[in-house]
Amino acid sequence: MQIDSTTRSQLLSLGLGSSDGMSWNASTPELYELAIMRGEAQVAEGGSLVVTTGSHTGRSPQDKFIVRDAATENTIWWDNNRPVTRAHFQALKQDFLVHARNSNLFIQDLVAGADPAHQLQTRVICENAWHALFIQHLLIAPKNDQGFAPGLTIIDLPSFKADPQRHGTRGQTVIALDLTNGLVLIGGTQYAGEIKKSVFTVLNYLLPEKGVMPMHCSANMGAADDTTVFFGLSGTGKTTLSADATRTLIGDDEHGWSDKGIFNFEGGCYAKVIKLSAEAEPEIFATTKRWGTVLENVVMDVKTRKLDLNDSVLTENTRAAYPLNYIPNASASGLASVPKNIVMLTADAFGVLPPIARLTPQQAMYHYLSGYTAKVAGTEQGVAEPTATFSTCFGAPFVPRHPSIYGNLLRDLIARHDVKCWLVNTGWTSGAYGVGTRMPIKATRALLAAAMSGKLDDADYRTDAHFGFAVPKAVEGVDATILNPRETWADKKAYDAQARKLVSMFVKNFDTFKDHVGSDVMDASPQMALAAE
């Protein structure tokens, strides 16, 4: 499409003076074709595009910087975010623009946010055609009658190499955010997730000032207009559990919560597909064989073009990017009612947490600020020891403001709308990783269905001795034994020791937040004295 005069003027103002070599708002078929013609991608069986991202097969959080200036000095949580000076950023911008002028560029004008009241008009300028296709899938096409004046511009140049001395970076890779002027510069990485998460970081900065809660979560809605939000880190089941054929999918990763309800930030999905199966996740599996889906680092037979979703030779972080409407029961509007249920997902590899627990608003804030899950170690020395991971707000790398800002927003919204909160463990039962087994997905789905339908409202509960939350004693269709983790362990003393260990990790991690929350939230924390009984 020919660049119009308004856009040309905006690009000139940015410092991109020529429209030669620029593709503006190319369609999905055009970008698909260009990605193949330019040797950026290969076509797999079914028509998906397979790309590789080189040495960067995931995000580079150590290379992400925020400009420290008068506007951000007292608003950014600098303990969690790396600063870059205005002078270093200006030098980086200057060199980016020089590099961009010598490149063929693909420009996409999109919006982030399905709610018109809170949309962020976003211009993404890419060096790769497949990156433009990726972000076209992930964000939302603006309506034709909208005047476009980007509040955020992202320049994405994978071939650009930063100079640590000149640009204040750690190495040649850089993700630099100028929040004051709405500009993001991404260089030295082919991983497309950096573009998506830069938009999310900017929204996390802007929306709290409007009283809107930005959330790293999936969301779905039942036939009774009952919305459920799923918080969770990678590997906890956030995408899998929200893609429920009996409910409408609002989105799989990023949402806002205003007093009007929930709205998706995105228009697509970015699903992890390692070991994906048609039996366990049929809707997501089907997208890997759809025309136009972008598959990152998925192994493919170059002759037959068949995919091997089980092969992790390139990375465990294989991904599929596709439009939301590739999921049969996805919402067309990206809008939903105020949630009736909040689910905080954790994959507890210690085997301590119950498969479901009901949280008070104070406990919900505590666990939201904790952002706990557990990962399993590698097996180089034949040892598989779980490692606790605490990522505040279930997304620390994307949190520019202090977590208490988001925690207080969440607590107030929960109280205002009387939302039910649940902690769901999709991790291990009958022992820790290496001894126990993974929580049955069938049981998890049954417990979630009971919670969302209201069947657990009047259930008989016990109080967990270690964490103080309420755990149902029995749920129809679920083996009652797994509801009490201690009873699933053959060695009860080993369970008690493991529980004390996990409690101590929670307590230590929360030290950084204790001066920023009320006494009621601190009272909701796990108690070492109880855990020692």
Side-chain angles (χ1 to χ4, degrees):
M1 185 185 296
Q2 186 176 359
I3 299 177
D4 66 20
S5 58
T6 300
T7 302
R8 186 177 292 110
S9 175
Q10 292 166 345
L11 293 172
L12 281 168
S13 178
L14 179 64
L16 292 174
S18 172
S19 61
D20 294 339
M22 290 185 186
S23 167
W24 181 50
N25 288 339
S27 66
T28 296
E30 288 177 293
L31 293 173
Y32 182 98
E33 185 176 68
L34 285 165
I36 297 166
M37 288 175 57
R38 289 161 52 91
E40 298 174 3
Q42 293 180 300
V43 181
E45 179 187 45
S48 57
L49 282 180
V50 176
V51 300
T52 55
T53 61
S55 60
H56 291 281
T57 58
R59 290 179 296 100
S60 301
Q62 303 298 318
D63 298 308
K64 182 178 177 181
F65 300 87
I66 294 176
V67 176
R68 192 167 193 163
D69 58 18
T72 60
E73 176 65 40
N74 297 315
T75 56
I76 297 300
W77 182 31
W78 293 114
D79 289 347
N80 184 62
N81 293 279
R82 289 168 177 75
V84 66
T85 66
R86 172 62 64 187
H88 276 138
F89 184 85
Q90 288 303 112
L92 181 68
K93 177 183 175 183
Q94 177 183 338
D95 294 346
F96 251 71
L97 293 172
V98 170
H99 191 91
R101 292 185 199 113
N102 296 318
S103 305
N104 290 321
L105 299 175
F106 302 89
I107 302 171
Q108 288 287 304
D109 287 346
L110 304 159
V111 296
D115 184 345
H118 304 296
Q119 282 182 342
L120 177 64
Q121 293 189 339
T122 302
R123 173 166 291 152
V124 182
I125 303 171
C126 302
E127 193 175 29
N128 289 342
W130 81 262
H131 276 186
L133 179 59
F134 168 91
I135 202 61
Q136 186 186 84
H137 286 342
L138 266 295
L139 292 184
I140 302 168
K143 296 190 183 300
N144 293 331
D145 57 354
Q146 282 184 281
F148 199 86
L152 173 64
T153 299
I154 298 174
I155 305 177
D156 169 54
L157 306 175
S159 67
F160 180 89
K161 305 299 181 186
D163 179 348
Q165 292 298 317
R166 175 168 166 76
H167 304 133
T169 59
R170 192 177 66 111
Q172 294 183 327
T173 301
V174 62
I175 303 97
L177 290 80
D178 180 359
L179 296 173
T180 303
N181 296 300
L183 178 63
V184 176
L185 306 176
I186 302 172
T189 174
Q190 293 274 356
Y191 184 67
E194 297 287 12
I195 309 172
K196 159 190 159 69
K197 288 305 183 186
S198 293
V199 177
F200 186 44
T201 302
V202 173
L203 288 170
N204 278 341
Y205 179 71
L206 296 175
L207 290 180
E209 288 191 339
K210 300 172 70 175
V212 176
M213 175 71 182
M215 302 179 293
H216 187 214
C217 70
S218 59
N220 64 24
M221 184 171 63
D225 198 30
D226 55 310
T227 302
T228 296
V229 163
F230 299 83
F231 290 106
L233 299 173
S234 178
T236 59
K238 181 161 53 76
T239 298
T240 299
L241 293 170
S242 60
D244 182 338
T246 67
R247 296 171 65 84
T248 299
L249 177 67
I250 308 304
D252 81 327
D253 197 42
E254 301 169 4
H255 294 80
W257 181 358
S258 71
D259 275 331
K260 291 196 302 181
I262 297 292
F263 61 98
N264 195 354
F265 287 165
E266 302 182 307
C269 298
Y270 190 40
K272 198 170 181 179
V273 295
I274 192 69
K275 297 181 176 64
L276 192 72
S277 74
E279 294 72 29
E281 298 170 278
E283 294 86 5
I284 300 173
F285 182 86
T287 69
T288 66
K289 297 182 179 295
R290 287 285 298 267
W291 179 88
T293 292
V294 177
L295 298 176
E296 280 185 330
N297 301 310
V298 172
V299 174
M300 178 187 71
D301 187 300
V302 293
K303 290 185 177 180
T304 66
R305 301 301 170 117
K306 291 184 181 295
L307 303 171
D308 185 352
L309 299 180
N310 294 315
D311 195 332
S312 60
V313 66
L314 297 176
T315 178
E316 285 278 339
N317 190 38
T318 57
R319 294 275 179 170
Y322 49 88
L324 194 65
N325 62 20
Y326 277 19
I327 300 295
N329 60 326
S331 167
S333 69
L335 303 172
S337 58
V338 169
K340 291 187 177 180
N341 291 280
I342 288 176
V343 177
M344 298 185 186
L345 299 166
T346 179
D348 176 28
F350 291 90
V352 169
L353 295 177
I356 194 166
R358 186 174 61 188
L359 305 177
T360 65
Q362 294 77 20
Q363 289 169 336
M365 184 175 179
Y366 182 91
H367 285 277
Y368 176 75
L369 290 177
S370 297
Y372 165 71
T373 192
K375 296 180 179 179
V376 294
T379 56
E380 290 96 347
Q381 299 177 343
V383 178
E385 179 70 19
T387 302
T389 298
F390 293 94
S391 184
T392 189
C393 306
F394 293 98
F398 325 118
V399 174
R401 297 180 183 270
H402 193 276
S404 60
I405 300 290
Y406 310 98
N408 285 324
L409 261 175
L410 182 67
R411 182 197 59 196
D412 293 347
L413 285 164
I414 289 170
R416 195 179 312 151
H417 299 288
D418 192 25
V419 183
K420 299 169 190 173
C421 300
W422 309 90
L423 182 72
V424 170
N425 174 23
T426 60
W428 275 257
T429 183
S430 304
Y433 174 83
V435 176
T437 58
R438 194 73 191 254
M439 197 71 69
I441 185 68
K442 184 178 180 181
T444 301
R445 290 192 185 279
L447 291 167
L448 282 171
M452 289 186 282
S453 68
K455 290 181 179 179
L456 295 188
D457 290 356
D458 300 318
D460 190 14
Y461 286 85
R462 66 175 178 86
T463 300
D464 186 271
H466 306 288
F467 287 85
F469 41 50
V471 181
K473 293 181 179 180
V475 178
E476 184 179 352
V478 177
D479 180 0
T481 305
I482 69 168
L483 295 173
N484 189 340
R486 190 174 189 271
E487 294 305 310
T488 67
W489 282 54
D491 187 340
K492 303 297 190 287
K493 288 185 178 179
Y495 170 85
D496 293 338
Q498 191 84 312
R500 287 194 292 270
K501 179 179 179 180
L502 184 57
V503 167
S504 67
M505 292 176 180
F506 267 88
V507 172
K508 181 179 180 181
N509 172 74
F510 209 78
D511 277 346
T512 188
F513 305 122
K514 64 184 182 182
D515 293 334
H516 299 276
V517 300
S519 59
D520 57 339
V521 175
M522 290 307 301
D523 290 342
S525 64
Q527 301 296 319
M528 289 298 294
L530 288 176
E533 291 180 359

